[in-house]
């Protein structure tokens, strides 16, 4: 596996691969890799000839009081995992080469970025979209793989690719959970044993919502109040939101009729976790 740190070298590599008529599959990450990330790489191998993974903890998507400094960084271990997964290139730029002095161009987002995490983390998705567009221009992928764990992020990137006519196929990948149901996340590393136990209320709440839905409750207010009652009783969490929304537009709905996402964000101690479940999708369960 090659490790490329320079933007220019990465672009040159990608240009060469394209001349050779080989396809590039790209998995952008912030490192601290786990099975969720590895599942994206495995999907990439099914579609593309060459695989590029980036590790970049992007400062512009963190708010001033968020965990940029404490974000887990496990580069040595990540490198070994990527070699095992037969990744061709690890792109590992530093913040200076991604944002040279005087950087002043940002993507502006509208509807999809307004609710849920967008409302609570102002500027977060603009930071994400801008860095992803930069990475796309550097890695020049044919396919880019995103996890449905970050469902709003996936929708925003998919829309950006459509709106800006990028010649990239965005591939959504399944959300991967631990055996106990907790969605895998780099931030789980920051949970104490006791906090991890408390965090399990999050997947349980989603599961409960799915069960009520399967029993025939389609009214969103009713589902929300039943689930929040459970979380209040069982959980010692600071819930930021628990929302049931249209899975394409993220608009509010009153009754579940079309594909729907049930999304949750909560603090467990100092660690902010997100999770979601698509209602009505066959393979989506907790
Ligand atoms: P991150 O390193 O957290 O920025 O995530 C990089 C990519 O991995 C994103 O597309 C995430 O949605 C995806 N990802 C993170 N956790 C999971 C998971 N548990 N299951 C599936 N994809 C994931």
């Amino acid at each position: 596996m090659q490790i490329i740190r320079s933007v220019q070298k990465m672009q040159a590599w990608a240009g060469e691969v394209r001349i050779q008529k080989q396809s590039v599959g790209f998995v952008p990450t912030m490192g601290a890799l786990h099975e969720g990330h590895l599942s994206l790489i495995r999907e990439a191998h099914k579609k593309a000839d060459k695989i590029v993974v980036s590790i970049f903890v992007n400062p512009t998507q963190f708010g001033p009081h968020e965990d940029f400094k404490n974000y887990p960084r496990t580069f040595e271990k990540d490198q070994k995992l990527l070699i095992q997964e037969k990744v061709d290139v690890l792109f590992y730029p530093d913040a200076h080469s991604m944002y040279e002095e005087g950087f002043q161009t940002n993507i502006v987002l509208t509807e999809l970025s307004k609710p849920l995490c967008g409302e609570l983390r102002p500027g977060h998705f603009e930071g994400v979209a801008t860095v992803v567009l930069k990475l796309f221009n550097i890695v020049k992928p044919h396919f880019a793989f995103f996890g449905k764990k970050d469902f709003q992020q996936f929708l925003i990137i998919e829309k950006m690719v459509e709106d800006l006519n990028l010649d990239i196929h965005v591939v959504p990948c399944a959300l991967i959970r631990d055996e106990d149901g907790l969605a895998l996340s780099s931030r789980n590393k920051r949970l104490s044993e006791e906090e991890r136990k408390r965090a399990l209320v999050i997947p349980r709440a989603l599961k409960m919502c799915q069960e009520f839905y399967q029993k025939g409750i389609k009214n969103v207010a009713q589902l929300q109040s039943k689930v929040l009652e459970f979380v209040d009783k069982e959980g010692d969490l600071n819930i930021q939101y628990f929302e049931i929304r249209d899975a394409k537009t993220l608009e509010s709905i009153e009754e579940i009729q079309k594909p729907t996402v049930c999304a949750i964000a909560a603090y467990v101690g100092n660690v902010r976790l997100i999770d979601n479940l698509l209602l009505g999708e066959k393979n989506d369960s907790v």
Side-chain angles (χ1 to χ4, degrees):
M1 181 180 76
Q2 274 190 68
I3 299 180
I4 298 182
R5 301 216 62 183
S6 127
V7 168
Q8 288 72 22
K9 282 194 182 140
M10 188 68 245
Q11 283 178 314
W13 181 93
E16 192 54 40
V17 169
R18 279 181 167 257
I19 288 170
Q20 289 163 9
K21 298 260 180 280
Q22 290 198 299
S23 60
V24 177
F26 178 41
V27 179
T29 82
M30 298 206 297
L33 302 179
H34 50 66
E35 279 293 317
H37 298 111
L38 303 187
S39 72
L40 268 51
I41 296 170
R42 290 169 199 152
E43 286 303 312
H45 273 299
K46 290 183 197 164
K47 288 211 152 55
D49 300 315
K50 298 280 182 190
I51 310 299
V52 179
V53 174
S54 62
I55 295 182
F56 182 59
V57 186
N58 174 37
T60 68
Q61 69 190 65
F62 288 81
H65 306 294
E66 294 183 351
D67 58 350
F68 175 68
K69 281 216 175 91
N70 298 330
Y71 195 84
R73 289 164 171 87
T74 58
F75 185 72
E76 303 295 319
K77 188 172 160 238
D78 291 352
Q79 206 179 320
K80 285 192 189 128
L81 287 172
L82 295 177
I83 291 170
Q84 277 170 22
E85 295 296 327
K86 302 202 178 347
V87 166
D88 294 281
V89 173
L90 164 55
F91 179 49
Y92 183 50
D94 61 28
H96 285 298
S97 45
M98 288 297 280
Y99 300 106
E100 289 187 348
E101 224 183 295
F103 185 89
Q104 52 180 281
T105 307
N106 281 292
I107 291 282
V108 176
L109 301 167
T110 57
E111 302 315 311
L112 280 171
S113 72
K114 284 181 185 163
L116 309 177
C117 290
E119 191 178 340
L120 291 156
R121 304 183 69 187
H124 167 68
F125 286 120
E126 279 79 5
V128 170
T130 303
V131 82
V132 169
L133 182 56
K134 279 172 70 69
L135 288 167
F136 282 172
N137 285 326
I138 295 167
V139 175
K140 310 183 206 290
H142 298 80
F143 303 95
F145 299 81
F146 289 85
K148 288 196 275 185
K149 155 79 169 37
D150 300 276
F151 190 71
Q152 189 171 14
Q153 168 175 286
F154 156 68
L155 289 180
I156 287 170
I157 299 299
E158 186 182 53
K159 192 79 183 97
M160 175 178 82
V161 164
E162 182 191 329
D163 287 350
L164 301 185
N165 309 103
L166 304 183
D167 194 7
I168 296 172
H169 186 65
V170 177
V171 183
C173 301
L175 189 163
I176 307 294
R177 299 179 178 280
D178 229 329
E179 281 172 7
D180 57 10
L182 190 66
L184 292 179
S185 163
S186 305
R187 288 188 168 99
N188 294 353
K189 293 190 170 71
R190 297 185 47 224
L191 296 170
S192 69
E193 216 173 296
E194 187 268 327
E195 285 170 335
R196 210 200 131 85
K197 278 196 194 128
R198 277 199 272 147
L200 292 180
V201 170
I202 296 172
R204 281 201 210 120
L206 292 173
K207 193 178 177 124
M208 173 174 262
C209 189
Q210 187 179 44
E211 285 167 1
F212 281 126
Y213 168 73
Q214 284 165 348
K215 280 185 193 152
I217 303 181
K218 302 271 158 52
N219 180 275
V220 166
Q222 224 178 329
L223 282 169
Q224 260 181 322
S225 82
K226 278 179 180 296
V227 172
L228 285 172
E229 194 186 320
F230 162 78
V231 173
D232 269 355
K233 211 166 80 191
E234 291 290 314
D236 189 5
L237 309 177
N238 176 3
I239 296 280
Q240 286 204 303
Y241 63 74
F242 172 75
E243 297 269 355
I244 297 169
R245 294 195 169 232
D246 182 293
K248 273 211 156 42
T249 63
L250 298 182
E251 282 164 4
S252 301
I253 47 172
E254 284 178 12
E255 291 282 322
I256 299 179
Q257 279 157 349
K258 290 195 231 160
T260 299
V261 63
C262 193
I264 189 164
Y267 270 98
V268 185
N270 290 325
V271 184
R272 185 175 185 275
L273 299 176
I274 57 170
D275 199 347
N276 71 80
L277 187 69
L278 292 165
L279 292 179
E281 289 227 343
K282 267 199 192 131
N283 297 324
D284 220 38
S285 63
V286 180

